[in-house]
Amino acid sequence: MRLFLDEAGNTGGITDKNKKLNYGTQRHFCLAAVVTHDMQSEQLLRQKYTAFKSQFASEKELKGNSLFTKENNNALEYFLDNILDDIHFSICLYDKKFYLASLLLFAIWGEQAREQFPVEYYSLVSDLSQEKDELFATFCKLTKRATETSVHELFEYLKNYSYQHIPTSGNGLVWAVSEIQNRGIEETFVNDFLKFGSYSNRKFANLINLNALSELLEVIEIERNCDTRKIDIVHDNISGIDEMLKQELKHFDVAVKFADSQAEELIQLADNVASIFCKIINTIVRCWDTKTEWSPENEWILTQSARFLKKIGTRNIKFTVPIQSWALTFCVMDMFDPQYPKEMRKNLFFNPRYQYWNQAIVQNIAELDFSRHAACFDELYSNEGGKP
């Protein structure tokens, strides 16, 4: 088996800069893998992709951002019909604020709390990730080189922060911080904040690339019943980060080769998938944030998003995002399916469906391992037919 990997969504570490996070408008990060099981399937995939490029690409490389546009609808239709399938592709999607929220809560609550109370943990991280960037920029700044003083400053900040998405009463984060201070054990948390998101090379911190790659390899190993240590992994060049990734993955006996996408067509294909899916999730979240989900100008892109999701199969997507975004993605797959009546695309029908998917996600978080989420939702979706 061979994997060809590329990513989309502002690669690199998440850092604070002037009380802001560095990802700009690219809140989501997507790592896509083209999975070839043997040389025959790899050769066939290469032939299909070469034929696609010869028909639609004016240059040597066709980027996913330009492919997923209304102007290139014919190329996209061909791509969805003839290239994309639920066998040769796997995706790991990360919400960067969700990652930081999880990092923060994990350092304070600890692994045992996450294992014993997975629903409460995931729900609180989901709500926490909706807070302003300022909170997470402060977290990054004060824990970059954690000391007793910076931990105390962070705890005081968290206690006094005006939360917009977490109720004042029953705020598990504030309660935990207060308990830590009441017990006089703040200094024991200095190492906790240095442990997660830091690496042997101290120039780097919070590399979303490494987390996504590790999770994607774990999912592929579980879902496809293979040993990732025996898989050839070829990743697109990442200037300044490739050596760091190699160094960290050595601990797990996993080797990654880096190649130029212009010289490797299957990395170009991985780029297409990663870029398209990143654009899909950004569009979905934007539409609901701006309350334009039913506007005619968004109908085309949401319809194509539903087609992409159906074609690749949700079992091939590892969601590491807030419950809210997760549920919205399933709602789009339902309500923008060509067979779904257009007159029912309104809040009256959306609200119960959204509630259904929220409950389904919570239920599955309670029942299954985090690494099993992708597969269980595909099974759930198939069994329920995507209907509340």
Side-chain angles (χ1 to χ4, degrees):
M1 179 182 287
R2 293 221 288 173
L3 303 180
F4 298 86
L5 300 153
D6 203 358
E7 51 198 19
N10 195 19
T11 188
I14 306 171
T15 59
D16 67 288
K17 185 176 182 181
N18 300 323
K19 294 186 178 182
K20 293 182 180 180
L21 300 178
N22 72 344
Y23 56 73
T25 59
Q26 299 185 65
R27 175 170 171 171
H28 296 95
F29 176 86
C30 179
L31 177 65
V34 176
V35 184
T36 61
H37 303 88
D38 51 45
M39 289 307 297
Q40 184 178 2
S41 67
E42 180 177 322
Q43 193 60 32
L44 181 59
L45 201 55
R46 287 184 184 279
Q47 291 172 359
K48 286 183 177 181
Y49 190 61
T50 300
F52 165 70
K53 283 180 47 178
S54 66
Q55 184 172 345
F56 294 103
S58 56
E59 301 179 1
K60 289 184 178 180
E61 190 171 352
L62 180 63
K63 291 294 185 180
N65 274 332
S66 59
L67 177 60
F68 201 64
T69 59
K70 204 167 186 178
E71 292 74 18
N72 287 319
N73 185 68
N74 290 339
L76 180 62
E77 291 279 342
Y78 185 100
F79 185 85
L80 294 176
D81 289 339
N82 300 287
I83 307 295
L84 196 67
D85 59 34
D86 60 357
I87 299 172
H88 295 101
F89 302 93
S90 190
I91 290 174
C92 182
L93 173 69
Y94 251 92
D95 179 301
K96 295 173 187 176
K97 282 180 71 174
F98 182 90
Y99 164 74
L100 290 177
S102 180
L103 203 67
L104 169 59
L105 193 62
F106 191 83
I108 293 175
W109 273 20
E111 185 172 3
Q112 186 176 4
R114 186 181 71 173
E115 297 300 322
Q116 290 183 352
F117 309 103
V119 171
E120 290 81 356
Y121 175 87
Y122 207 103
S123 297
L124 181 53
V125 172
S126 295
D127 292 339
L128 186 61
S129 66
Q130 308 303 313
E131 298 293 342
K132 294 179 180 178
D133 284 5
E134 174 195 326
L135 187 152
F136 303 101
T138 301
F139 166 61
C140 288
K141 178 182 178 181
L142 293 177
T143 60
K144 193 178 296 181
R145 295 290 181 267
T147 63
E148 289 185 25
T149 299
S150 68
V151 169
H152 176 73
E153 289 179 10
L154 176 63
F155 282 3
E156 289 298 310
Y157 177 85
L158 294 173
K159 282 169 49 182
N160 295 300
Y161 179 81
S162 180
Y163 295 91
Q164 303 297 312
H165 299 272
I166 303 174
T168 304
S169 59
N171 187 322
L173 180 59
V174 172
W175 174 85
V177 167
S178 300
E179 280 292 301
I180 291 165
Q181 290 184 325
N182 291 338
R183 295 180 185 182
I185 56 173
E186 268 188 359
E187 68 277 2
T188 65
F189 283 77
V190 173
N191 290 333
D192 289 334
F193 285 115
L194 285 175
K195 181 178 179 181
F196 308 105
S198 61
Y199 313 102
S200 52
N201 187 335
R202 297 296 294 273
K203 292 181 180 179
F204 296 95
N206 299 320
L207 280 179
I208 203 75
N209 316 64
L210 180 60
N211 289 75
L213 179 56
S214 302
E215 290 193 26
L216 184 62
L217 292 178
E218 182 182 20
V219 169
I220 290 174
E221 188 171 58
I222 293 171
E223 296 302 321
R224 301 178 190 249
N225 192 27
C226 60
D227 186 347
T228 50
R229 293 171 297 181
K230 299 178 181 178
I231 298 176
D232 288 332
I233 304 172
V234 186
H235 198 299
D236 185 34
N237 280 330
I238 315 175
S239 178
I241 298 177
D242 48 2
E243 290 302 320
M244 178 65 198
L245 293 180
K246 286 181 183 179
Q247 187 176 344
E248 292 295 324
L249 289 170
K250 275 184 181 178
H251 302 306
F252 306 97
D253 198 22
V254 174
V256 179
K257 301 173 186 175
F258 289 87
D260 189 338
S261 63
Q262 291 190 355
E264 177 48 75
E265 282 194 324
L266 293 188
I267 289 182
Q268 297 175 28
L269 177 54
D271 165 79
N272 292 164
V273 174
S275 298
I276 287 173
F277 191 66
C278 218
K279 195 168 184 177
I280 285 173
I281 192 66
N282 284 332
T283 298
I284 290 173
V285 172
R286 173 186 59 79
C287 284
W288 265 267
D289 281 350
T290 58
K291 301 186 187 304
T292 58
E293 62 269 28
W294 314 127
S295 298
E297 63 266 23
N298 290 320
E299 181 180 352
W300 179 86
I301 195 166
L302 292 175
T303 300
Q304 299 301 333
S305 298
R307 287 189 63 201
F308 180 97
L309 291 163
K310 288 271 192 180
K311 196 70 188 292
I312 199 170
T314 54
R315 69 180 296 274
N316 292 314
I317 303 171
K318 172 66 169 65
F319 290 92
T320 308
V321 298
I323 294 173
Q324 298 91 322
S325 302
W326 205 339
L328 285 176
T329 304
F330 279 92
C331 287
V332 167
M333 191 162 55
D334 288 345
M335 300 184 72
F336 285 87
D337 184 281
Q339 296 181 355
Y340 189 86
K342 288 186 178 182
E343 63 271 15
M344 292 176 62
R345 290 175 185 164
K346 56 182 67 174
N347 288 340
L348 176 65
F349 300 98
F350 164 79
N351 291 336
R353 190 171 294 269
Y354 178 70
Q355 184 179 12
Y356 165 78
W357 281 119
N358 267 276
Q359 292 172 347
I361 290 167
V362 168
Q363 179 182 343
N364 280 272
I365 289 172
E367 294 175 354
L368 298 174
D369 247 343
F370 277 66
S371 61
R372 300 289 295 173
H373 283 172
C376 79
F377 280 109
D378 188 67
E379 181 179 350
L380 174 67
Y381 193 88
S382 299
N383 292 340
E384 298 295 333
K387 297 177 182 179

